[in-house]
Amino acid sequence: ETGVTQSPTHLIKTRGQQVTLRCSSQSGHNTVSWYQQALGQGPQFIFQYYREEENGRGNFPPRFSGLQFPNYSSELNVNALELDDSALYLCASSLAAGGYNSPLHFGNGTRLTVT
Amino acid sequence: RKEVEQDPGPFNVPEGATVAFNCTYSNSASQSFFWYRQDCRKEPKLLMSVYSSGNEDGRFTAQLNRASQYISLLIRDSKLSDSATYLCVVNGAGGYNKLIFGAGTRLAVHP
């Protein structure tokens, strides 16, 4: 069974630039969620994708956007980067949306530094 | 008020100690509850789900009190390898599997 993989592992960008982070979900999982974890905080929900559509969104501005592809892999795009976007970005997959007891399986994250 | 609040920590305990973490959540409509463990600079990993009747997994015991909106995790006979941050996690309302994380409680077990 292939786990959740994310790329790149680390990334350094300049304020105002754009970034794309990638995620391959665990085999058989059709739902992908993205989380942002700032230093010393718990992960914060950004959004979730199911069947290539956004299925729910947290309190993040529109410059955070995403895509899900037919093979259930996903991208997180952030435009106009700000210093506060520096964080660990986590992708998690699960089997089905609306499954309240479905645990999330996280990838090892992309650490983004904005300078 | 934060949706999920935890003991701030850190907890520094000797090997063999029993340690308890507490957590409260604000949304009474929440239906699923979990404890995740996160090692330094790693991704969170599911430690255990929390069920209404309480549940145990080896040295770990989780309790849920829906009336008080309170969740706990008890670790018995602490090991050095238990050193990590423990995240209290609640499923948010909205018809999809959105998890709301507490800020985490750091545990350091020393010899």
Side-chain angles (χ1 to χ4, degrees), chain A residues 10 33 35 37 40-45 48 55-57 88 90 94 96 98-104 106-108 111, chain B residues 2 31-34 36 38 41-46 49 51 87 91-92 94-104:
Chain A
H10 295 85
S33 304
Y35 286 78
Q37 186 174 23
Q41 300 297 316
Q44 299 294 311
F45 177 75
Q48 182 183 88
N55 190 43
R57 191 178 182 93
L88 178 67
L90 294 159
S94 56
Y100 290 111
N101 286 313
S102 299
L104 296 187
F106 285 92
N108 51 17
R111 190 164 298 280
Chain B
K2 291 183 180 178
Q31 299 186 27
S32 299
F33 311 90
F34 309 94
Y36 275 71
Q38 187 171 26
R41 303 184 75 81
K42 300 281 191 179
E43 75 275 19
K45 291 186 177 176
L46 178 67
S49 300
Y51 302 116
L87 298 160
N91 183 277
Y96 55 94
N97 197 14
K98 164 189 171 182
L99 296 189
I100 302 168
F101 287 76

Side-chain angles (χ1 to χ4, degrees), chain B residues 29-94:
Chain B
S30 295
Q31 299 186 27
S32 299
F33 311 90
F34 309 94
W35 283 100
Y36 275 71
R37 171 198 167 123
Q38 187 171 26
D39 293 298
C40 188
R41 303 184 75 81
K42 300 281 191 179
E43 75 275 19
K45 291 186 177 176
L46 178 67
L47 178 66
M48 59 196 302
S49 300
V50 186
Y51 302 116
S52 296
S53 55
N55 50 297
E56 190 174 301
D57 183 2
R59 298 180 294 108
F60 299 85
T61 300
Q63 297 279 351
L64 168 65
N65 184 322
R66 285 186 184 268
S68 302
Q69 294 176 209
Y70 169 92
I71 306 164
S72 67
L73 176 68
L74 185 76
I75 305 176
R76 292 181 301 279
D77 188 23
S78 297
K79 311 291 185 192
L80 294 176
S81 57
D82 294 335
S83 297
T85 296
Y86 289 83
L87 298 160
C88 177
V89 186
V90 172
N91 183 277

Side-chain angles (χ1 to χ4, degrees), chain A residues 46-84:
Chain A
I46 303 175
F47 43 54
Q48 182 183 88
Y49 278 81
Y50 173 62
R51 291 186 174 176
E52 303 176 53
E53 302 223 347
E54 188 179 286
N55 190 43
R57 191 178 182 93
N59 190 26
F60 280 80
R63 58 189 186 84
F64 285 78
S65 63
L67 283 173
Q68 186 181 31
F69 301 99
N71 65 355
Y72 306 134
S73 65
S74 177
E75 286 182 356
L76 164 65
N77 298 291
V78 187
N79 293 323
L81 284 166
E82 300 176 1
L83 297 179
D84 285 348

